[in-house]
Amino acid sequence: MPAPFMPAADPPSASISVTVLTFAAYASFVPIGIATVLLGPMLPTLSARWSLNYSQAGALFSAQYLASSLAVALSGVLVSRWGFRFAIKAGLLLMSAGVGLLLAGPRMMGILCIAASGGGMGLAVPAANLLVAEVNPGRRSATLNLLNFCWSAGAVACPFLVAAAARSHTIPWFLAGVAGFGLLMAIGIAAMPAYIVEPSVTNDAGPNKVPAIPWKQGAIFVLAALFFLYVGVENGFGGWVASYAKSLGSLTPAVALMTPSFFYAALMLGRWLAPLLLRLTDEVRLVQAGLLAACAGMAGLVLSHGLRGVAMSACLAGFGLSYVYPITISLLSREFGPASSRVGAFMFTMSNIGGGLMPWMVGVSSNHFGTLKAGLAVPLIGCGAMYGLYLRKWRVAAPVEGGLALFEN
């Protein structure tokens, strides 16, 4: 059966288009995954280079996620006017420029580069997710999980690559390599032959086609808080764990820079195992158990004094958090039904605000009390608050084989 966006007379070309566009998105998400988490393992280097205190270092996350929030809104405009590939190309080019020039000038230029990188990701990530979903209508869940697995592969590899570059004093070359990778993906997408046709974007402009946001429904504020807190907690913990490990003084700088990989690897593993675990329990109880585990991991980190404790705490926190975001997205769909597309735009904006604000709060708290242990209480409190919000009585889910629908985008 030909893809819906291609003429029925040319199914082979349609099949090629689907394959090429899908794998282009997969390949692009590897450098995007690296760039997304790059700031965390780079934070000790940037703090030393620019003489930053904890508060100033935390503001770098705010610059990245503020730019990303603005770019997410712009991404929809670019996609509707010039297509998915244009938004992905523009995002990759902007991200590559920001990463490649990060250490090329003074602090102000570096902050602009961080914002450019965040803006590039804000353009490319939504467009790539939508493109993969559109060209694979019969297997969205599988292809989107693979897409985000590619992101996770980049995120897990990033701290190891930064540590190796720091040990060999080649961080500028590493950044150039990541930028080159992203640039190569952008060139590859731009050079696609004419017979690779992407789906057209439909705009449902009629007032009766898209339901209004139900502001009076109580769940909207609970979910908004969950979206805000989750991304804030993930960034607040994952972004500062390398700096905390380095501050212990018992780890070599290279080993300290690798510690975020334990967190992101556990996050990836947990999401991979989620469909199996959802056969054993319902999603709300799974999230509640995960949040308690994440709280234990975050509390354990501030009590750790060596690599074993840091690694075990980071893994426990990552594994515990792994189910929260996809299940929260599924609750959004369940609570709001046809209105979830409009409500979702508000929720994802809240998540970006949390992602930029909470790491900065970690820095401000650490600066005020003079220790990162105090600052890391911020994501711990946020994790506890999410547990409290998940005690709410949610609507009962319809049975889903294997729980895979929770990961449907």
Side-chain angles (χ1 to χ4, degrees):
M1 179 178 178
F5 60 90
M6 294 295 295
D10 193 13
S13 179
S15 177
I16 293 172
S17 294
V18 169
T19 301
V20 171
L21 291 172
T22 301
F23 278 92
Y26 289 168
S28 298
F29 257 45
V30 177
I32 287 174
I34 294 173
T36 302
V37 305
L38 178 64
L39 189 53
M42 282 290 296
L43 203 58
T45 299
L46 297 178
S47 297
R49 182 183 180 90
W50 297 333
S51 301
L52 304 178
N53 59 33
Y54 290 132
S55 180
Q56 292 168 331
L60 299 181
F61 292 97
S62 301
Q64 179 179 352
Y65 276 85
L66 176 61
S68 180
S69 299
L70 297 174
V72 166
L74 180 59
S75 179
V77 176
L78 296 182
V79 167
S80 63
R81 182 165 296 186
W82 291 296
F84 297 102
R85 279 183 289 178
F86 181 86
I88 297 171
K89 286 184 296 185
L92 286 169
L93 289 172
L94 190 58
M95 182 196 78
S96 298
V99 172
L101 298 174
L102 179 60
L103 299 180
R107 180 171 72 177
M108 186 53 64
M109 180 178 174
I111 294 173
L112 291 175
C113 286
I114 290 169
S117 178
M121 290 180 283
L123 291 177
V125 170
N129 273 286
L130 289 172
L131 175 61
V132 169
E134 285 292 326
V135 300
N136 297 279
R139 51 194 190 99
R140 285 194 179 104
S141 181
T143 52
L144 285 168
N145 272 307
L146 281 173
L147 179 69
N148 287 283
F149 178 81
C150 293
W151 180 94
S152 297
V156 171
C158 178
F160 286 105
L161 296 174
V162 172
R167 189 166 51 242
S168 59
H169 305 288
T170 56
I171 285 183
W173 288 105
F174 161 70
L175 295 176
V178 176
F181 192 177
L183 182 61
L184 185 64
M185 292 300 100
I187 293 172
I189 293 171
M192 285 181 180
Y195 61 81
I196 303 298
V197 181
E198 68 179 61
S200 59
V201 180
T202 57
N203 294 309
D204 297 329
N208 297 325
K209 291 185 178 181
V210 182
I213 296 177
W215 293 109
K216 293 183 178 180
Q217 191 168 333
I220 194 169
F221 300 106
V222 177
L223 284 167
L226 286 170
F227 274 84
F228 175 90
L229 288 168
Y230 175 79
V231 179
V233 166
E234 182 183 311
N235 288 353
F237 186 84
W240 281 99
V241 66
S243 297
Y244 176 76
K246 187 177 180 181
S247 73
L248 293 176
S250 58
L251 306 178
T252 65
V255 171
L257 296 181
M258 289 190 293
T259 51
S261 289
F262 297 111
F263 175 72
Y264 291 111
L267 200 69
M268 179 175 65
L269 176 63
R271 287 176 179 169
W272 208 247
L273 293 176
L276 175 63
L277 295 174
L278 285 167
R279 293 193 178 107
L280 306 176
T281 185
D282 70 84
E283 65 271 24
V284 173
R285 290 185 179 181
L286 181 61
V287 169
Q288 290 171 348
L291 287 170
L292 289 176
C295 287
M298 293 177 190
L301 182 70
V302 298
L303 300 175
S304 301
H305 302 288
L307 177 60
R308 179 179 298 179
V310 169
M312 291 180 62
S313 298
C315 287
L316 185 58
F319 195 81
L321 289 175
S322 60
Y323 323 113
V324 179
Y325 199 57
I327 289 175
T328 303
I329 293 173
S330 82
L331 291 178
L332 168 66
S333 177
R334 186 195 311 169
E335 292 284 335
F336 296 100
S340 59
S341 59
R342 291 197 65 179
V343 177
F346 170 64
M347 296 300 173
F348 292 124
T349 300
M350 291 299 298
S351 70
N352 264 0
I353 294 173
L357 184 61
M358 197 168 289
W360 173 73
M361 292 172 62
V362 172
V364 170
S365 300
S366 301
N367 209 53
H368 179 74
F369 292 102
T371 173
L372 260 176
K373 290 187 176 184
L376 287 170
V378 173
L380 176 58
I381 293 170
C383 200
M386 283 193 288
Y387 179 80
L389 291 171
Y390 256 97
L391 294 176
R392 179 184 188 272
K393 188 175 178 62
W394 298 94
R395 293 185 183 180
V396 178
V400 177
E401 183 180 353
L404 290 175
L406 294 174
F407 296 85
E408 182 79 45
N409 288 320

